[in-house]
Amino acid sequence: MKSRTMRLLAAGTALSVAAVLGGCSSASSGSDETTDSGLGYENWKPNDARPDDEIHVLVLGDSVAEVEQAAADRFNETSDIKVIIDTGPTAGVEYNTQVRTQIGTATGPDIFMSWGSAGIQPLVDAQALLPLDGFIEEDPALRDSFLPSVFEEEVIDGKAYGIPMRGVAPEFLYYNTEVLADAGLEPPASWDELLAQIPVLQDAGVIPFALAGADKWPEQIWFQFLYARMIGNDEVAKGLAGDTSVWESDGSYEALDMISELIDAGAFGSNYASVSYGADGTAALLRTGKAAYDLMGSWHFGTIGDTANLGWAPFPSVSGGDGQDGEIAGNLSNFYNVVADTKYPETVRDFLKELYSDDFLNGQLSFGNTPPTTNAADLIAADTSLDDKTKEHLTFVVNLVADAPTFQLSWDQTVPASQAPASQDAAADFFNGVIDAQGFVDAMNSVVTGG
């Protein structure tokens, strides 16, 4: 499996996203480790019992789903075959579980969302996904409208299986501006500054860092950034691809010591294991000033709701590590995939054209999502419906990506789909004291080797 680390070129202009991402790595070509997925796709068969005159789109059940509903509503105004939006869970693991259990059934989606090639590889191997090259031959804009490096993520063995459909989503620190102002603090520029703020915020009765531990994946974000700082994303990519020496390195144990230091200092409060991201969990903690910071992806802007007191900043630098300042992690984009047994492929093709329409892209912008399209910069500049705060946020996201020396795809989206829950479990178990540093190293070695 090729490295998922995106090595980004410096940009002459902050909004020149296409040029920035032009130097990124190509997609994975798949690997034997994903062929035997253990997910049951090997037994997939076409289902002829799908409903007549409708196609179903399973969407992630977050607030941004309303953009997809609006796209369906527009499409249905002129189509005899209707697009039905089915709302799934808000968390990726639960969403993928629903996809796994529904595919091949009469109620399964015609279109669903994925996070990258590792997640769809078992479906490709089972021939359960429709290659989209025929659609693209008929309408090249389904490919040419999108940043090449993002689009290539789901090109497997020369065939395109996904169309990008949500924003480029790096992760960084969100903070409550009022809380920091009351405490006389500024966002930390260094790890030492971050540590020094913990007792100040605790004395003010504030949780320093909101953390949705009940969902596990938010805990993994802390590993992503401290490993990036201590060993660098290039090494992380090697580790996620199966190099066990990465997890056993001194830098790995130093990163784990830093996470332990945060936990022991009470940086996340005492109840983080029961806090969820959905149902207005950490978003409410940050919005209401009960927490000062939240390390989260750029989609958080749309989830927060009231952004009056919302600020954002890059993850701070860490001295003594082998990683570079500015290395980031997160999601390149999400993708729409099409099942091979869809009853109305022409309707699916026509609906996918919504993904590069101005209406759809401006809808993504309204939620603070930076579209993965070649015209994203122009859209941000020209959109008079965006308020100053949203434009400021989008510009920050574009600059963050532009300035990043590397961009590592989220760990649970990089490892084979069958190992994603185990990778999240390792993070949660470390946070909750179930395993120690050696236990985490052993767990990650097992994840990346399929053990």
Side-chain angles (χ1 to χ4, degrees):
M1 186 176 293
K2 296 178 181 177
S3 167
R4 304 303 181 85
T5 303
M6 296 173 59
R7 186 167 298 284
L8 305 177
L9 303 178
T13 169
L15 298 182
S16 184
V17 181
V20 171
L21 295 178
C24 302
S25 62
S26 61
S28 166
S29 59
S31 65
D32 291 340
E33 64 186 351
T34 61
T35 301
D36 182 11
S37 67
L39 299 177
Y41 295 140
E42 297 83 356
N43 300 318
W44 177 86
K45 291 183 174 59
N47 194 304
D48 297 328
R50 288 181 171 277
D52 292 330
D53 299 327
E54 58 187 43
I55 62 171
H56 285 253
V57 182
L58 179 61
V59 303
L60 196 69
D62 60 7
S63 57
V64 186
E66 75 175 60
V67 179
E68 293 153 78
Q69 181 64 60
D73 292 343
R74 287 192 299 273
F75 184 83
N76 289 339
E77 289 177 358
T78 57
S79 176
D80 292 332
I81 299 169
K82 303 304 181 184
V83 173
I84 308 299
I85 299 295
D86 298 319
T87 303
T90 59
V93 170
E94 286 78 8
Y95 176 89
N96 286 331
T97 297
Q98 182 166 339
V99 171
R100 184 169 69 243
T101 55
Q102 286 192 336
I103 278 193
T105 71
T107 59
D110 297 83
I111 299 173
F112 64 92
M113 192 175 86
S114 64
W115 281 258
S117 58
I120 64 169
Q121 184 71 54
L123 287 163
V124 172
D125 293 339
Q127 300 183 344
L129 287 190
L130 187 69
L132 305 180
D133 302 280
F135 291 177
I136 293 168
E137 184 175 350
E138 295 169 350
D139 179 19
L142 284 171
R143 176 196 57 218
D144 298 342
S145 300
F146 300 95
L147 301 171
S149 56
V150 176
F151 184 87
E152 288 291 319
E153 169 61 23
E154 290 203 351
V155 175
I156 299 175
D157 294 336
K159 297 180 180 178
Y161 287 94
I163 304 295
M165 47 74 67
R166 282 197 175 187
V168 177
E171 294 154 345
F172 45 87
L173 280 176
Y174 284 95
Y175 61 91
N176 186 302
T177 56
E178 190 172 47
V179 168
L180 262 61
D182 289 346
L185 299 174
E186 297 287 341
S190 70
W191 183 249
D192 290 341
E193 289 182 14
L194 182 150
L195 292 176
Q197 290 190 9
I198 293 173
V200 176
L201 292 165
Q202 290 171 327
D203 288 346
V206 174
I207 299 170
F209 296 93
L211 182 62
D215 288 325
K216 301 181 181 179
W217 59 265
E219 294 169 325
Q220 198 171 55
I221 299 175
W222 283 92
F223 292 83
Q224 291 171 174
F225 275 87
L226 285 170
Y227 270 77
R229 294 291 183 271
M230 296 313 297
I231 66 174
N233 274 341
D234 285 344
E235 285 299 303
V236 169
K238 292 177 184 176
L240 293 171
D243 185 346
T244 57
S245 68
V246 170
W247 307 106
E248 296 163 356
S249 67
D250 291 343
S252 170
Y253 284 101
E254 288 172 339
L256 294 173
D257 285 345
M258 298 169 79
I259 294 172
S260 292
E261 187 175 10
L262 289 177
I263 298 169
D264 293 344
F268 306 104
S270 57
N271 297 315
Y272 60 83
S274 61
V275 177
S276 64
Y277 184 73
D280 204 23
T282 52
L285 290 176
L286 187 64
R287 184 178 63 248
T288 60
K290 293 179 180 177
Y293 295 98
D294 193 359
L295 180 61
M296 189 47 63
S298 59
W299 58 84
H300 210 31
F301 185 88
T303 304
I304 285 289
D306 183 358
T307 61
N309 294 321
L310 187 66
W312 43 85
F315 193 84
S317 63
V318 177
S319 62
D322 292 333
Q324 305 175 64
D325 290 344
E327 293 193 87
I328 59 175
N331 297 337
L332 277 68
S333 183
N334 295 108
F335 300 80
Y336 264 166
N337 309 108
V338 181
V339 296
D341 60 349
T342 182
K343 200 169 185 177
Y344 301 103
E346 292 82 8
T347 302
V348 168
R349 175 202 59 203
D350 292 342
F351 177 66
L352 290 178
K353 296 177 182 179
E354 276 285 335
L355 301 183
Y356 62 77
S357 71
D358 285 351
D359 285 336
F360 186 84
L361 298 176
N362 284 323
Q364 292 294 332
L365 284 171
S366 70
F367 278 88
N369 290 339
T370 306
T373 55
T374 57
N375 64 345
D378 293 338
L379 288 171
I380 295 171
D383 195 333
T384 57
S385 68
L386 296 176
D387 58 37
D388 291 344
K389 190 97 177 188
T390 302
K391 282 197 173 187
E392 180 185 353
H393 179 261
L394 290 168
T395 302
F396 170 84
V397 171
V398 172
N399 285 341
L400 186 73
V401 174
D403 295 339
T406 63
F407 188 168
Q408 171 61 48
L409 183 64
S410 297
W411 289 10
D412 57 353
Q413 305 302 329
T414 305
V415 298
S418 60
Q419 296 298 320
S423 76
Q424 295 180 358
D425 287 344
D429 287 347
F430 187 79
F431 261 91
N432 296 329
V434 176
I435 58 177
D436 58 12
Q438 186 60 56
F440 180 81
V441 169
D442 292 341
M444 288 306 298
N445 279 342
S446 178
V447 165
V448 301
T449 59

